[in-house]
Amino acid sequence: MLKCMSYEVATALENQSHKIRYSDSVENGSIIFSLSGVAFLLMDAKECFISAEEIFLAKIEKFINIHQKSFLVLSAALHGPEEWKLMFRIQQRFLGSNLRILPVHNTVNAINLMCTIAKTASKPYTDRICYRMITTEAYIIEQSPVWKTLQKLKLSSDPFNLN
């Protein structure tokens, strides 16, 4: 199941002209978006249930030790109580790490989430967000009646000097 989903995801991403790398040498099912540096590890919940917990946890640990921006894409047709318990165990084990878990139901769902995350983490997109925040902050400062009042009281330049 994992190989099939991994192949479908990889093929769909290539068809959409995304710059991705595969890292089967790191972990089977790893997909890395080159432009954003975001890495995804595709895992099937059913495979986690049939394998020993130490095996899939070791696989996840190896993955997050290599990639700073790491996401576990956990696939299940239905995320019932057992799947949520599995995600909880994984979260508990890797609490404080850079791992984020994405529950998905199918290949299309996985691709959409992966593309959205990779897009928002890419440098051109983050630069645009920073520029928008700076211009918004400048606009608020220029247009805000509170800031104008503070400037009149000359408190905006030195908040501790009340003279």
Side-chain angles (χ1 to χ4, degrees):
M1 177 70 182
L2 173 64
K3 294 226 184 246
C4 180
M5 182 185 170
S6 181
Y7 176 76
E8 288 176 9
V9 169
T11 302
L13 290 171
E14 284 178 351
N15 289 341
Q16 294 177 9
S17 301
H18 290 284
K19 294 185 189 246
I20 57 173
R21 292 183 293 124
Y22 308 100
S23 183
D24 284 344
S25 62
V26 173
E27 279 308 326
N28 188 21
S30 298
I31 296 178
I32 299 113
F33 283 74
S34 301
L35 296 176
S36 61
V38 178
F40 297 92
L41 177 60
L42 305 173
M43 292 184 81
D44 188 274
K46 282 188 224 171
E47 289 184 15
C48 293
F49 293 135
I50 60 174
S51 68
E53 188 169 312
E54 301 83 37
I55 293 172
F56 72 82
L57 290 178
K59 183 177 183 174
I60 295 169
E61 185 162 10
K62 182 178 178 186
F63 177 75
I64 65 173
N65 286 335
I66 294 169
H67 303 288
Q68 284 186 321
K69 300 176 192 171
S70 56
F71 292 84
L72 171 63
V73 180
L74 191 63
S75 177
L78 173 69
H79 292 283
E82 291 302 312
E83 288 79 9
W84 288 109
K85 286 178 189 173
L86 173 65
M87 284 186 268
F88 181 70
R89 284 198 321 267
I90 294 169
Q91 282 180 327
Q92 278 186 315
R93 170 65 178 82
F94 298 105
L95 191 64
S97 74
N98 55 346
L99 179 70
R100 291 156 191 89
I101 302 172
L102 302 173
V104 297
H105 298 288
N106 53 45
T107 303
V108 173
N109 190 218
I111 292 166
N112 289 339
L113 280 169
M114 291 167 68
C115 289
T116 301
I117 291 168
K119 178 184 173 186
T120 57
S122 68
K123 182 149 175 47
Y125 196 81
T126 56
D127 289 347
R128 271 195 305 256
I129 291 172
C130 288
Y131 174 75
R132 286 181 183 169
M133 290 175 64
I134 290 167
T135 54
T136 302
E137 179 187 34
Y139 176 79
I140 290 170
I141 289 172
E142 288 176 11
Q143 302 299 322
S144 171
V146 173
W147 280 103
K148 288 179 182 178
T149 304
L150 287 172
Q151 285 175 335
K152 286 179 186 173
L153 296 172
K154 296 185 182 194
L155 293 176
S156 61
S157 61
D158 187 4
F160 298 108
N161 186 3
L162 299 176
N163 295 342

